Amino acid sequence: MEKAAFEAWLESVSTSFLALNDQQRNQSLDHLISLSGAAQLRHLSNGLEALLKRDFLRLLPLELAFYLLRWLDPQTLLTCCLVCKQWNKVINACTEVWQGVCRDLGWRIDESIQDAVHWKGVYLKAKLRMKQLREEDAFETSSLIGHSARVYALYYRDGLLCTGSDDLSAKLWDVRTGQCIYGIQTHTCATVKFDEQKLVTGSFDNTIACWEWSTGAKIQQFRGHTGAVFSIDYNDELDTLVSGSADFTVKVWSLSAGTCVNTFTGHTEWVTKVHLQKSQVESMMHSPGDYILLSADKYEIKVWPIGREINCKCLKTLFVSEDRSVCLQPRLQFDGRYVVCSSDLGIYQWDFSSFDVVRIIKPQQDPPSISLLSFGQVFALLFDNNYLYVMDLRTEAIVGRWPLPAYRKSKRGSSFLPGVTSWLNGLDGKNDAGLVFATSMPDHSIHLVLWKENG
């Protein structure tokens, strides 16, 4: 057929085809397909693939493509990266998507880093770390050996662990190497706290002492309690030391002079925890920047102002039950915004600006036996007689655990502690390192749980 005649015929057939209804059009196509040979069918297949199998990710504006990708789970995203180079390029350019999946896993997000490939790498590392937590493969253990009697007091900061023992000594250990840096002769230690230059110890002999690491010399002694000193805290800037005792009192001391400047009464049980911290929020009773003292006994947490005034009044008393039917566990945490304490009913969180209970995390088992070690913005570290637990506070689900040996139990909670806690506010690939948990053992050694290097 000549070209002109063919074009006229094609125009006539097209006009007639457009006049048909859908059923007639389908029948016409079926008939034409039945008459077609291999060359026509191959041509038809190639044309249909281009029309029907359109690469929407390539065709959509990047903003729309990124929006759609946010709805995909991480594993699907990784699979999509394998489709073709163009898909891999688009997905690897979507910073918000990879930041989002990292955030979902509990990772800290640095908004200043807008490199999507970086965040994809972070996600892969985060995914491995969370898998290790689930499979009890995130941690490893070691021991510190050197004391010859019961170890009753522990304190950790900046990679160093201080231990106080009934063998009348205190030792400072490098957690990474397991080496003892200092060992000095002291009294029996019920509680310890240290910095680069000095060690402060509270004792079962009712006194507090300050020691110099480099020489082991006692540079200050604090006398005034009539019962064992179970907890201490100090602030060099304020020249203030605070202590809680079995004599039911809280004392405020001049750190440099060793003199008692105030005694707080009102507790009717042993004061097992004192905490000196700057407030970060405002209320009718305090302003941001004010130093606040918290003291805890078996049933109550009391809030005190810090000043040189005699007969300071308690600002507030926090409790779980007014009739004292529920005991508080000896773990008290205060970051200037929230007070967190564990109890027989669960973990309680108070807003420090209003003193209202803003959250209660109920134990998942009955009877409740899980206790609080440390509480963050994303994760909490918990433990019982057999395991260490990592809880995702966004879902209150246990996302990891680690078996514990038969460690020494202490009703005051002094013989075990958390290590590095910054990761509880969100992992970042760097803070999942170092000490996680330390506890004294019946054989006088110290059992350490440490992060395993993230492979």
Side-chain angles (χ1 to χ4, degrees):
M1 183 180 293
E2 294 293 332
K3 181 178 180 181
F6 171 72
E7 289 178 351
W9 173 83
L10 187 60
E11 181 68 25
S12 173
V13 170
S14 299
T15 303
S16 299
F17 184 79
L18 291 174
L20 302 178
N21 59 36
D22 286 343
Q23 183 178 2
Q24 291 169 336
R25 289 183 184 184
N26 292 342
Q27 290 178 351
S28 301
L29 290 174
D30 289 342
H31 184 67
L32 288 174
I33 290 173
S34 67
L35 297 175
S36 299
Q40 290 76 48
L41 292 175
R42 186 163 50 251
H43 175 75
L44 183 63
S45 176
N46 293 336
L48 287 174
E49 183 173 12
L51 289 172
L52 299 179
K53 298 182 180 179
R54 307 188 74 178
D55 188 345
F56 69 90
L57 207 60
R58 184 192 297 266
L59 298 175
L60 284 174
L62 273 179
E63 293 80 2
L64 276 177
F66 290 166
Y67 176 79
L68 291 175
L69 290 172
R70 289 190 198 126
W71 295 92
L72 299 181
D73 63 89
Q75 189 55 50
T76 303
L77 281 173
L78 292 173
T79 303
C80 288
C81 288
L82 303 177
V83 171
C84 63
K85 289 182 178 179
Q86 179 64 25
W87 278 41
N88 186 56
K89 182 179 179 180
V90 171
I91 293 170
N92 282 342
C94 190
T95 303
E96 290 184 12
V97 169
W98 292 110
Q99 285 181 337
V101 296
C102 290
R103 190 179 290 110
D104 291 342
L105 285 178
W107 241 247
R108 288 185 189 175
I109 302 301
D110 184 349
E111 299 291 351
S112 65
I113 301 177
Q114 291 296 309
D115 181 2
V117 176
H118 165 82
W119 290 112
K120 181 182 176 183
V122 170
Y123 166 74
L124 294 173
K125 188 173 183 179
K127 181 183 176 186
L128 173 61
R129 181 56 98 193
M130 299 310 291
K131 180 175 182 287
Q132 290 173 337
L133 281 171
R134 287 194 306 272
E135 298 178 354
E136 300 184 20
D137 192 35
F139 305 135
E140 58 189 6
T141 62
S142 67
S143 295
L144 303 176
I145 301 173
H147 284 292
S148 58
R150 177 182 63 172
V151 177
Y152 215 69
L154 303 173
Y155 186 81
Y156 174 82
R157 61 172 283 178
D158 301 332
L160 302 175
L161 179 69
C162 179
T163 57
S165 170
D166 282 352
D167 63 10
L168 304 182
S169 75
K171 296 182 183 296
L172 188 65
W173 307 83
D174 184 321
V175 169
R176 183 179 62 85
T177 64
Q179 297 298 309
C180 180
I181 302 172
Y182 290 116
I184 61 176
Q185 292 301 304
T186 62
H187 45 190
T188 56
C189 297
T191 180
V192 294
K193 184 177 180 179
F194 71 92
D195 55 41
E196 291 81 359
Q197 286 79 38
K198 64 182 177 296
L199 165 69
V200 180
T201 58
S203 175
F204 293 106
D205 67 9
N206 308 346
T207 69
I208 305 161
C210 184
W211 315 79
E212 190 174 54
W213 280 122
S214 58
T215 64
K218 184 191 296 184
I219 55 180
Q220 195 59 264
Q221 190 157 25
F222 308 80
R223 295 182 180 274
H225 279 297
T226 58
V229 179
F230 288 145
S231 182
I232 55 171
D233 201 358
Y234 65 84
N235 184 288
D236 286 309
E237 180 183 341
L238 295 177
D239 187 32
T240 296
L241 168 73
V242 294
S243 57
S245 169
D247 63 13
F248 304 168
T249 68
V250 177
K251 288 186 179 292
V252 182
W253 311 79
S254 167
L255 186 58
S256 58
T259 55
C260 180
V261 297
N262 221 330
T263 299
F264 298 154
T265 60
H267 284 284
T268 57
E269 298 284 341
W270 291 356
V271 181
T272 56
K273 186 68 177 178
V274 291
H275 195 79
L276 186 59
Q277 174 71 37
K278 188 181 290 187
S279 172
Q280 298 184 27
V281 293
E282 185 170 5
S283 78
M284 294 179 63
M285 302 177 185
H286 53 78
S287 302
D290 289 349
Y291 276 93
I292 299 294
L293 169 61
L294 268 64
S295 59
D297 62 28
K298 189 176 180 181
Y299 299 107
E300 296 176 337
I301 301 168
K302 291 186 178 293
V303 182
W304 310 88
I306 281 294
R308 298 301 172 119
E309 306 86 358
I310 303 298
N311 299 323
C312 287
K313 292 184 178 180
C314 176
L315 298 178
K316 188 71 176 178
T317 298
L318 307 177
F319 47 79
V320 173
S321 61
E322 293 188 33
D323 62 358
R324 297 191 163 207
S325 60
V326 179
C327 294
L328 298 177
Q329 296 172 357
R331 306 303 305 179
L332 175 64
Q333 187 172 320
F334 176 47
D335 62 1
R337 293 181 178 274
Y338 298 99
V339 178
V340 182
C341 191
S342 189
S343 78
D344 294 345
L345 290 181
I347 299 170
Y348 278 68
Q349 183 181 34
W350 289 269
D351 185 330
F352 196 61
S353 61
S354 64
F355 297 113
D356 292 331
V357 175
V358 294
R359 187 172 190 182
I360 304 173
I361 299 177
K362 297 287 187 180
Q364 300 297 316
Q365 64 231 49
D366 190 30
S369 61
I370 294 182
S371 300
L372 174 69
L373 272 170
S374 192
F375 194 91
Q377 297 171 9
V378 180
F379 300 107
L381 190 63
L382 314 172
F383 73 114
D384 62 15
N385 290 338
N386 302 305
Y387 285 94
L388 193 65
Y389 301 94
V390 178
M391 173 184 282
D392 188 328
L393 291 173
R394 299 166 299 178
T395 62
E396 297 185 10
I398 300 297
V399 295
R401 69 176 191 174
W402 182 260
L404 294 176
Y407 58 91
R408 185 183 294 280
K409 311 300 187 294
S410 167
K411 291 182 179 180
R412 299 184 298 102
S414 61
S415 60
F416 44 80
L417 52 66
V420 178
T421 56
S422 59
W423 64 274
L424 297 174
N425 294 323
L427 291 155
D428 62 11
K430 298 177 182 178
N431 57 13
D432 53 340
L435 183 66
V436 179
F437 174 74
T439 182
S440 62
M441 300 295 291
D443 64 359
H444 318 318
S445 67
I446 311 299
H447 179 78
L448 305 180
V449 178
L450 306 110
W451 282 104
K452 184 184 292 185
E453 184 177 351
N454 191 346

